[in-house]
Amino acid sequence: DFTEMMRALGYPRLISMENFHTPNFMLVSEVLLWLVKRYEPQSDIPGDVETEQDRVFFIKAVAQFMATKAHIKLNTKKLYQADGYAVKELLKVTSVLYSAMNTQGGEHADLPEEDSSKFKFDLGSKIADLKAARQLASEITSKGAVLYDLLGKEVELREARTESIARPLEINEAEKVMKIAINSVLEEVQKTNDMLNNVALDEANLEAKIEKRKLELERSQKRLQTLQSVRPAFMDEYEKIEEQLQKQYSTYLEKFRNLTYMEQLLDDHRRTEQEMFEEAANMLRLIQNRLKEEEQHLLKSGSNDDSDIDIQEDEGSDSEGDLQIMRHRISTEALLQGRVGPRIMGSMQGGDTEED
């Protein structure tokens, strides 16, 4: 029944019950939106159903719309399931539209496009009449409340009205009131005539102002054209200075690039020197450790009881070893300083005689 009703109402897609064996919320939302638009084309229900929050908001909005506009109560839980239970809820709306179409004598499935559009137009007009009827009903309610309040004051007003009617009418007072009313009406008429007379004058003044503004506009345009055609007095000098400035700027850019490149080379050179210094410091540290080990070894070997000849031979060998160690140390210090100095030959021991 649901599929036949949707086809009769002119739904553009073919619907079968197999589409609702599994939850299909996109199809349910599309059908609901189409039914709402078919019931009231001016409705502003959002059709965004990407997130869960949007879906809940969409179902609530449709259910509220149907409850307020068509007095159809929908089960939002079953609609959100989007399965066979949702079809029963959709059938409530489609049955109302289908019965309305049958009442108006509309055809079912093979309606031409013109008849379908005509049906939509008639439905919209009926909805507009329904809105007007509701507005009139609200006005009747408000007017009835005001009338009820006035009827509540009828007791007091009846006494005042009776006293006014029983009081004799004074001709002089009535004539005075009438004269005042006539004078006020005559003043309003005179004001209206003055305004009508002033309309022509205001129109003439406005036309004169418009003509004056047009003349000022023409003069301003002519002056602008004159200024655009005249070449300034110092334009040649300005162009020359601009060319010089362009050259100076290109020179500045070139020097700036060179300076940046030189600074980069200087940083690389300093980094290389730092690495060499650290390497030499490590080498010097190793040499110092080796010298300490050799001195300790010499001190241990010097404590043995040897002959004087052996001692002299040891002294000669020690002097030669010390000479080689000092040469290595001096060359290392020269490497740390970045330049090679004069070599110093000799040993740490004094000679046998004063001359030596």
Side-chain angles (χ1 to χ4, degrees):
D1 295 337
F2 175 72
T3 56
E4 293 297 328
M5 287 181 182
M6 291 298 292
R7 189 181 297 110
L9 289 173
Y11 187 71
R13 288 179 54 185
L14 295 176
I15 302 175
S16 64
M17 294 307 297
E18 295 178 359
N19 298 127
F20 299 96
H21 287 171
T22 58
N24 192 353
F25 191 87
M26 299 302 294
L27 181 58
V28 172
S29 62
E30 183 180 353
V31 172
L32 281 173
L33 189 60
W34 185 83
L35 290 174
V36 170
K37 294 293 183 182
R38 189 66 182 270
Y39 192 86
E40 186 175 358
Q42 290 81 15
S43 61
D44 55 351
I45 294 177
D48 190 8
V49 292
E50 294 295 330
T51 61
E52 182 180 358
Q53 186 177 2
D54 294 336
R55 294 180 179 181
V56 173
F57 180 78
F58 174 79
I59 294 296
K60 288 182 178 180
V62 172
Q64 186 177 3
F65 175 83
M66 287 299 173
T68 55
K69 300 294 183 181
H71 301 286
I72 300 173
K73 186 177 180 181
L74 299 177
N75 192 338
T76 56
K77 184 177 180 181
K78 292 181 179 179
L79 286 175
Y80 191 81
Q81 289 177 0
D83 52 3
Y85 292 100
V87 177
K88 295 181 180 179
E89 302 299 323
L90 295 173
L91 191 58
K92 297 178 182 179
V93 184
T94 54
S95 60
V96 173
L97 295 175
Y98 185 77
S99 61
M101 186 181 69
N102 289 334
T103 303
Q104 291 181 358
E107 297 180 356
H108 291 277
D110 47 353
L111 278 173
E113 263 186 70
E114 297 179 356
D115 295 340
S116 178
S117 62
K118 183 178 180 181
F119 172 72
K120 292 180 182 178
F121 176 76
D122 294 338
L123 184 61
S125 63
K126 293 296 181 182
I127 293 172
D129 295 340
L130 180 62
K131 287 184 178 179
R134 288 180 179 176
Q135 185 176 1
L136 290 174
S138 62
E139 290 180 1
I140 290 170
T141 305
S142 61
K143 296 293 183 182
V146 173
L147 182 60
Y148 179 78
D149 295 335
L150 292 176
L151 290 175
K153 299 177 182 178
E154 178 63 20
V155 178
E156 299 176 358
L157 294 176
R158 186 185 298 114
E159 296 177 358
R161 186 171 61 252
T162 305
E163 291 177 359
S164 298
I165 293 172
R167 188 177 59 185
L169 183 62
E170 295 180 1
I171 302 299
N172 295 328
E173 186 178 355
E175 186 179 358
K176 184 178 179 180
V177 173
M178 291 298 293
K179 285 181 179 180
I180 293 171
I182 291 168
N183 291 329
S184 63
V185 172
L186 290 175
E187 287 179 359
E188 291 180 359
V189 171
Q190 185 63 32
K191 288 181 181 179
T192 306
N193 291 328
D194 293 338
M195 291 175 65
L196 290 173
N197 294 327
N198 292 330
V199 166
L201 183 60
D202 294 338
E203 186 178 358
N205 292 331
L206 289 174
E207 288 180 356
K209 289 181 179 180
I210 290 171
E211 293 294 333
K212 185 178 179 181
R213 296 294 183 184
K214 286 182 179 179
L215 293 175
E216 290 179 358
L217 178 61
E218 291 178 359
R219 286 197 297 270
S220 300
Q221 289 179 353
K222 290 180 180 179
R223 185 178 179 185
L224 178 61
Q225 292 177 0
T226 304
L227 292 175
Q228 289 178 352
S229 61
V230 175
R231 185 178 177 84
F234 300 98
M235 195 65 187
D236 297 334
E237 185 178 359
Y238 172 78
E239 290 177 355
K240 291 181 181 179
I241 294 174
E242 189 177 6
E243 291 178 358
Q244 293 178 2
L245 180 62
Q246 189 68 27
K247 293 179 181 178
Q248 293 293 333
Y249 182 70
S250 60
T251 305
Y252 166 75
L253 287 178
E254 184 178 357
K255 290 183 178 180
F256 182 78
R257 286 196 297 269
N258 294 335
L259 178 62
T260 306
Y261 179 69
M262 296 300 293
E263 288 178 352
Q264 184 179 0
L265 291 178
L266 181 61
D267 293 338
D268 295 339
H269 182 68
R270 288 177 178 174
R271 194 181 303 108
T272 305
E273 286 185 349
Q274 183 68 25
E275 292 176 357
M276 292 176 62
F277 178 77
E278 291 177 357
E279 185 178 356
N282 293 330
M283 187 182 296
L284 180 61
R285 195 179 297 107
L286 293 174
I287 292 172
Q288 288 177 354
N289 294 331
R290 189 182 301 169
L291 288 175
K292 288 180 181 180
E293 292 176 357
E294 290 179 356
E295 286 178 358
Q296 292 177 0
H297 180 69
L298 289 174
L299 289 174
K300 290 179 181 179
S301 61
S303 60
N304 297 327
D305 293 331
D306 295 334
S307 62
D308 293 338
I309 298 172
D310 294 336
I311 290 171
Q312 290 179 358
E313 289 178 356
D314 291 337
E315 288 179 354
S317 62
D318 291 341
S319 62
E320 290 178 358
D322 293 339
L323 180 60
Q324 292 179 358
I325 291 169
M326 286 303 297
R327 287 178 181 177
H328 194 278
R329 183 182 298 176
I330 291 168
S331 62
T332 304
E333 291 177 355
L335 179 61
L336 291 175
Q337 293 177 0
R339 60 181 182 273
V340 180
R343 296 185 178 180
I344 300 174
M345 307 296 293
S347 64
M348 297 295 293
Q349 297 179 358
D352 294 337
T353 61
E354 292 180 357
E355 292 180 356
D356 294 337

